[in-house]
Amino acid sequence: MGTDPLVSVVIPSYNHEKYIESAISSVLNQTYKNLELIVIDDGSQDRSLELIRQFKDPRLQVHAQENAGAHATINRGLEMAQGDFLTVLNSDDLYEPERLEICLKRFADNPDLGLVSSWINVIGSEGNLLGVKQGWENMQPWDLGDPDRSFRKTGSFSLNLLSSNYVATTSNMLWTRAVYQAVGGMRDLRFVHDWDYLLRVASQFPCEQVEQPLMRYRIHDSNTIHSNYDWMMFEICWVITANLNRFFGSQLFNKEELSAEITDLDMLYESINFQGNEKLVWLIQNYLTHLTQQGHPSPEEELIHNKTLREFFISKVKKPVEDQAPSRPPVLHRLHSHLKKVKQRMF
């Protein structure tokens, strides 16, 4: 293996006995061999842990714990990791065989990069191909306005993240140890911990997308994203409100000319869609300002961790109206086929 950098892959496993063997095999069978695989079973109630322990490979570590949730399990794995590069694979997803090799070449070609993602093969529960997610170019989860006036015209990895999580999943990120040391782990979010992490990274480090599908993201009925629309929508509003200002002065509003600022304002207006929850966003923003003025050490996390506050904000989410057809329809209006279920997940 010589001087090949070590890649640490973390798989948080939970109740995916149908898929976990394929996920593990897709890592161990990578064309890039210098890797460690850390699998943490998060209190599965099915045969997942039994199936995991059947694998015999010196690169594999297996750990079991009581259920702690996805973000905590991922963070535990990242803390254990020894690699120069870090990545996560959800236990129902798969890597294409050359994923790590191709992504690492991007880092070799551009040592300043902090994170790399790729296009995605979107598959159904039985592995059937539903489509190819080409970053921000297709399968938008909601109407994102005029592409000639929105962030899409910039071709910017980071700015397009402000419109939607086109990277789509925790499984589609490979990042450096330097990024991890600067940004830390995932925050305690149920639906958007990957999107939040991406925004925190992309506001500080150059990132690139490989225009080739290098992983398979699986759509099935037990995806977390299907479980609670109101909670999901609150986190979507929160993740933009909490992270938008990270881009001010560096990637937005970074020129002195007023005309340039007007252009940025127009792109921002055309690029962000809160599904009719603008009042909720206003409320979140002003309460965060209040907490900051009161000297709260972590106002953003307070809205996540304080159950009373979180439930209040969730209660203010505007419900999708089935009998209306607004110009910017809510996510659930698009769920008429497997492919449109894909669009729901790609926020």
Side-chain angles (χ1 to χ4, degrees), residues 31-303:
T31 58
Y32 188 85
K33 301 302 182 183
N34 192 22
L35 61 87
E36 64 173 0
L37 174 56
I38 301 167
V39 182
I40 304 177
D41 186 79
D42 189 30
S44 293
Q45 301 301 306
D46 61 7
R47 295 179 59 242
S48 292
L49 186 56
E50 175 189 342
L51 297 172
I52 294 165
R53 285 176 168 161
Q54 292 178 2
F55 284 85
K56 305 300 178 184
D57 189 300
R59 299 171 297 173
L60 171 64
Q61 305 174 37
V62 180
H63 305 272
Q65 64 184 30
E66 293 185 3
N67 184 256
H71 92 281
T73 306
I74 291 169
N75 285 343
R76 182 186 176 196
L78 294 175
E79 289 169 3
M80 295 176 180
Q82 299 297 310
D84 306 291
F85 293 88
L86 308 173
T87 187
V88 175
L89 178 64
N90 293 325
S91 52
D92 51 350
D93 296 333
L94 303 94
Y95 287 159
E96 300 294 356
E98 295 183 340
R99 176 177 177 81
L100 295 181
E101 181 180 354
I102 292 173
C103 288
L104 287 170
K105 187 176 186 306
R106 284 295 183 99
F107 287 104
D109 292 342
N110 185 355
D112 292 332
L113 282 179
L115 181 147
V116 167
S117 69
S118 74
W119 288 359
I120 299 170
N121 284 321
V122 185
I123 60 174
S125 59
E126 303 303 320
N128 50 306
L129 183 65
L130 300 176
V132 177
K133 172 67 174 161
Q134 299 176 352
W136 57 82
E137 296 293 343
N138 69 338
M139 295 186 187
Q140 288 87 7
W142 40 67
D143 180 21
L144 295 176
D146 183 351
D148 293 328
R149 295 171 60 191
S150 72
F151 291 142
R152 279 176 286 171
K153 74 176 183 180
T154 68
S156 167
F157 184 107
S158 53
L159 292 181
N160 276 286
L161 276 175
L162 292 169
S163 296
S164 69
N165 181 13
Y166 62 83
V167 173
T169 170
T170 320
S171 302
N172 191 23
M173 303 186 291
L174 177 66
W175 65 97
T176 65
R177 178 156 292 279
V179 162
Y180 179 63
Q181 290 170 341
V183 176
M186 306 281 172
R187 294 202 275 194
D188 186 8
L189 293 153
R190 182 176 180 184
F191 297 97
V192 301
H193 56 268
D194 51 349
W195 193 1
D196 175 63
Y197 199 76
L198 283 160
L199 288 167
R200 288 155 59 204
V201 172
S203 64
Q204 301 181 55
F205 294 89
C207 304
E208 283 187 5
Q209 177 181 238
V210 178
E211 295 182 347
Q212 177 181 346
L214 296 177
M215 65 151 295
R216 280 174 265 177
Y217 169 72
R218 193 185 305 272
I219 299 289
H220 53 86
D221 290 340
S222 59
N223 286 117
T224 303
I225 202 65
H226 298 306
S227 60
N228 189 316
Y229 175 83
D230 291 353
W231 195 335
M232 178 188 74
M233 202 65 236
F234 158 66
E235 288 195 358
I236 289 173
C237 294
W238 177 93
V239 78
I240 297 299
T241 307
N243 288 292
L244 179 59
N245 65 349
R246 298 177 187 274
F247 295 82
F248 293 168
S250 57
Q251 300 179 56
L252 283 172
F253 313 127
N254 56 352
K255 301 179 180 64
E256 294 183 1
E257 298 83 0
L258 180 58
S259 59
E261 297 226 335
I262 295 295
T263 298
D264 283 356
L265 283 168
D266 190 55
M267 281 196 300
L268 189 59
Y269 180 83
E270 290 292 332
S271 299
I272 296 182
N273 182 356
F274 291 113
Q275 311 289 297
N277 286 286
E278 288 77 12
K279 288 176 68 174
L280 174 59
V281 171
W282 175 87
L283 200 62
I284 292 171
Q285 179 62 66
N286 280 277
Y287 194 69
L288 289 175
T289 299
H290 163 72
L291 291 177
T292 301
Q293 291 174 344
Q294 294 297 311
H296 194 289
S298 53
E300 297 164 1
E301 284 80 0
E302 180 69 10
L303 270 65

